[in-house]
Amino acid sequence: MEHAQDHEASLEQTQRYYVERPVYTQELLQGQLHRRERTPQTLGQRIARSCRCSSKKAKSHLYSFLPILQWLPRYPVKEYLLGDIISGISTGVMQLPQGLAYALLAAVPPVFGLYSSFYPVFLYTFFGTSRHISIGTFAVISMMVGGVAVRQVPDEIISLGYNSTNLTDSLEYYHARDTKRVQVAVTLAFLSGIIQLCLGLLRFGFVAIYLTEPLVRGFTTAAAVHVFTSQLKYLLGIKTNRYSGPLSVVYSIAAVLSKITTTNIAALIVGLTCIVLLFIGKEINLRFKKKLPVPIPMEIIVVIIGTGVSAGMNLSESYRVDVVGTIPQGLHAPAVPEIRLIPAIFVDAIAIAIVGFSMAVSMAKIFALKHGYTTDGNQELIALGICNFVGSFFQSFSITCSMSRSLVQESTGGKTQIAGALSSVMVLLVIVAIGYLFEPLPQTVLAAIVMVNLKGMFKQFGDVAHFWRTSKIELAIWVVAFVASLLLGLDYGLLTAVAFAMITVIYRTQSPQYRLLGPIPGTDIYCDVEEYKEVQEYPGIKIFQANASLYFANSESYTSALKKKTGVDPCVLLAARRKAQKRHARELKAANAQKKQAVLKLVSSSTNDVEASLKHEIANDELPVNGKFGSADAGVQDVSPDEHQNFVEPKTNIHSLILDFTPVNFVDSVGAKTLKSIIKEYKEVGISVCIASCSGPVMKELTRLNFFDTTVTRELLFHSVHDAVLACQVRQGCFTDSL
């Protein structure tokens, strides 16, 4: 009781509004409005306008293309510089070991990972719009690059050119293989850079929306499994071929298991020790995040320790542990990529370009939202395109944003792109000055770094439980992306996942939710009658709503749902009416024949008085006159009860049908024909159809599709559902003062 009183009191305190206006059809409303005058421009005028350049426009385009010109002159040195320096050093310390490690994933020598950690990172400072993401090598992209390189240059092809009995120890064999794989990786970066640059210049930044979050997370989880299995041979110190393409994970695991007996114990001990140290360091950084001024750089510490132990104990010679090997000092002269490889890797370049951009822009949006600034998706495409395109001339492979380094760059106080530039300078110092010191670094240490950095991606297996609770369709996208990428490879798996995601969109629009609406008493607010007890339908009026557009894929289901929800199927009613009329006509015909025979017999054998009485009897019967029956009830007297009810109900119980078009975004030609068919069919059984809340673009589409004619006029369109209800009630003479 107290709750009800509180509820009534709250209703009295709420604001109320009263509006008195006419019942608006769309035609009446448009007649009272005056459109703004717009002078249409020809194609030549539009081209001329776009090509016209003023100083203000040129400055705007220049700032858009080179964002550094906008933020660097206003850089607050005292406030930002110290944080950027600390962040740059911390990120650079991570950039170095990850560059070396991810080069193994890309199937190229480790030094090329350093090149990919310098040129693109430095270029992004000038062209990027995000202040916090760390550009450079990333596990997923490196794995995709390595898959293409191994597919184009498998070990078997290189081995055919050598007759040595010990090919695996042949330096010439390794050099020839690595040289060809570097050419593939560099050309892939060149082509993916061109694709990203073209998409950015054409303002195609929206392509990333087709890579939904469940798809990306399922894809990256599968990529983590690929990465993990590819590093097993380095951790165990065994030699196997690298596989790519469908079922490459299965082949890699089978190859490792087949040679598990040749495990290098020294390499395994070093690798496991590094894994333990890295996990301890990351756990300390996580637990004491607020107390530590900067995260403990465990990766560079492990690299230094591993290099020192390897050099001091001579692990390469004494225990046959594979090491990084020669790291040439200085930078390579620019060289043109192998253009002849483009046809063979074009599809892979598209996949790498889109995946790289989607990961970078998603992280950029997260940080921009957190720190209150905006990023430009198209400019990010241009920036990544330039980084990949220019970097390819200096032997760097494809890059994108690294999630782990970006989090470190942001958490250690990074404010602008200066932090990324400083991290690239640190990598440059290693390349030109002290790179040779890392030559004794065991490859198992790099494998340990890669494996530990996959921890965050493996946590994404928890998405299965999350999506199971929230959305089964998104769970299906995640599972398909994961399974397809795991079994078919990252390239074909991504294409399969994107195709499946688009199919789910079609499925959702093809199978929308349908409902009947009714008013909340005393208001013009309409809700689902099946969901709320207070909501009741108006007598004789059905209000139907579908939460999707009306087009070829769902037009049939729209019609079926309309008939099912309203309980009125015009085709069934018309068929029942015709059947009842035919049956009654047959019965009348038979009755007439019998009566005629009786009259003839009586006329021939009876007197005139009997003949008169028979004529009087026939006159009182219901005989057809001028082809019509004398009684209006004759057509239904002999009809079965079910047919009689179906025949009469729409005329007595339902007189109006309102289609709520509020959720409808577009209508195609099939949808327009379906809509017109609905209006005509229901009109034949005495039900008038109205369309409510039809948006301007949808009205233009209907006009363009010649939807309106003499039978279907614009008077059927109403501004709102309530306008349509009032018009229907006035039309039937059942208008109430409560409305």
Side-chain angles (χ1 to χ4, degrees), residues 672-702:
K673 291 178 181 178
T674 301
L675 193 58
K676 183 175 287 190
S677 175
I678 289 171
I679 295 172
K680 292 181 178 179
E681 287 180 0
Y682 278 89
K683 186 178 180 180
E684 290 182 6
V685 294
I687 300 177
S688 62
V689 179
C690 302
I691 301 173
S693 301
C694 188
S695 65
V698 174
M699 285 183 61
K700 290 180 180 178
E701 283 292 317
L702 292 175

Side-chain angles (χ1 to χ4, degrees), residues 318-371:
S318 302
Y319 298 95
R320 311 292 293 175
V321 174
D322 292 330
V323 296
V324 168
T326 304
I327 298 180
Q329 269 187 295
L331 300 172
H332 281 278
V336 179
E338 292 288 336
I339 307 299
R340 60 182 176 80
L341 294 173
I342 288 179
I345 61 175
F346 183 75
V347 175
D348 303 284
I350 294 176
I352 290 173
I354 295 177
V355 171
F357 166 65
S358 66
M359 291 184 173
V361 78
S362 60
M363 287 296 294
K365 286 181 179 179
I366 291 173
F367 289 125
L369 184 63
K370 181 178 179 180
H371 294 277

Side-chain angles (χ1 to χ4, degrees), residues 215 472-481 494-507:
L215 187 151
K472 300 297 190 295
I473 292 181
E474 290 188 333
L475 173 62
I477 294 175
W478 193 98
V479 171
V480 169
L494 178 64
L495 294 176
T496 303
V498 170
F500 181 79
M502 291 183 176
I503 290 173
T504 61
V505 174
I506 297 173
Y507 169 76

Side-chain angles (χ1 to χ4, degrees), residues 603-714:
V603 167
S604 62
S605 62
S606 301
T607 62
N608 293 335
D609 292 335
V610 176
E611 182 179 353
S613 64
L614 284 174
K615 289 182 179 179
H616 179 72
E617 181 182 350
I618 293 171
N620 288 333
D621 284 334
E622 297 168 348
L623 295 178
V625 179
N626 294 330
K628 297 182 180 180
F629 298 112
S631 175
D633 296 329
V636 292
Q637 283 178 348
D638 296 320
V639 182
S640 64
D642 293 339
E643 291 175 341
H644 179 75
Q645 184 179 3
N646 289 334
F647 183 83
V648 175
E649 183 179 352
K651 287 192 174 183
T652 56
N653 293 341
I654 302 176
H655 55 74
S656 300
L657 174 62
I658 300 173
L659 305 178
D660 182 11
F661 264 41
T662 303
V664 176
N665 294 320
F666 68 92
V667 176
D668 68 353
S669 60
V670 177
K673 291 178 181 178
T674 301
L675 193 58
K676 183 175 287 190
S677 175
I678 289 171
I679 295 172
K680 292 181 178 179
E681 287 180 0
Y682 278 89
K683 186 178 180 180
E684 290 182 6
V685 294
I687 300 177
S688 62
V689 179
C690 302
I691 301 173
S693 301
C694 188
S695 65
V698 174
M699 285 183 61
K700 290 180 180 178
E701 283 292 317
L702 292 175
T703 303
R704 188 177 59 83
L705 294 169
N706 298 320
F707 175 75
F708 301 104
D709 53 25
T710 55
T711 57
V712 181
T713 64
R714 295 180 184 273

Side-chain angles (χ1 to χ4, degrees), residues 50-243:
S50 62
C51 295
R52 191 180 300 120
C53 184
S54 62
S55 58
K56 184 178 180 181
K57 189 175 181 180
K59 186 177 179 180
S60 175
H61 283 301
L62 182 62
Y63 282 172
S64 177
F65 186 71
L66 281 169
I68 192 173
L69 298 177
Q70 192 169 9
W71 60 263
L72 187 60
R74 295 180 292 179
Y75 183 80
V77 177
K78 292 183 180 180
E79 298 177 19
Y80 285 3
L81 186 59
L82 180 61
D84 280 339
I85 290 175
I86 296 174
S87 176
I89 294 173
S90 302
T91 308
V93 165
M94 287 185 67
Q95 190 93 259
L96 174 64
Q98 287 189 3
L100 294 170
Y102 292 154
L104 296 180
L105 292 178
V108 297
V111 68
F112 292 93
L114 297 181
Y115 298 152
S116 302
S117 300
F118 167 62
Y119 291 106
V121 179
F122 188 73
L123 288 170
Y124 185 82
T125 305
F126 296 90
F127 298 98
T129 60
S130 176
R131 305 173 190 173
H132 296 92
I133 65 173
S134 175
I135 295 296
T137 56
F138 182 55
V140 175
I141 297 297
S142 299
M143 189 69 198
M144 295 177 73
V145 172
V148 179
V150 172
R151 188 189 71 212
Q152 295 296 319
V153 189
D155 294 331
E156 291 79 5
I157 292 180
I158 301 300
S159 64
L160 293 177
Y162 293 88
N163 296 321
S164 172
T165 58
N166 193 8
L167 290 176
T168 55
D169 293 332
S170 173
L171 294 178
E172 293 183 0
Y173 162 75
Y174 283 124
H175 179 72
R177 183 197 66 183
D178 291 344
T179 300
K180 290 183 177 297
R181 288 181 176 176
V182 167
Q183 290 176 351
V184 174
V186 167
T187 306
L188 199 56
F190 171 79
L191 187 54
S192 62
I194 291 177
I195 293 170
Q196 289 173 331
L197 193 57
C198 292
L199 290 176
L201 293 174
L202 294 174
R203 323 305 289 176
F204 268 59
F206 66 88
V207 295
I209 65 176
Y210 292 104
L211 299 181
T212 64
E213 182 183 4
L215 187 151
V216 171
R217 294 178 73 86
F219 173 77
T220 53
T221 306
V225 177
H226 278 279
V227 171
F228 186 85
T229 55
S230 71
Q231 297 304 294
L232 285 175
K233 68 176 186 178
Y234 298 110
L235 179 68
L236 300 174
I238 61 180
K239 291 178 170 51
T240 64
N241 291 336
R242 179 164 174 173
Y243 299 93

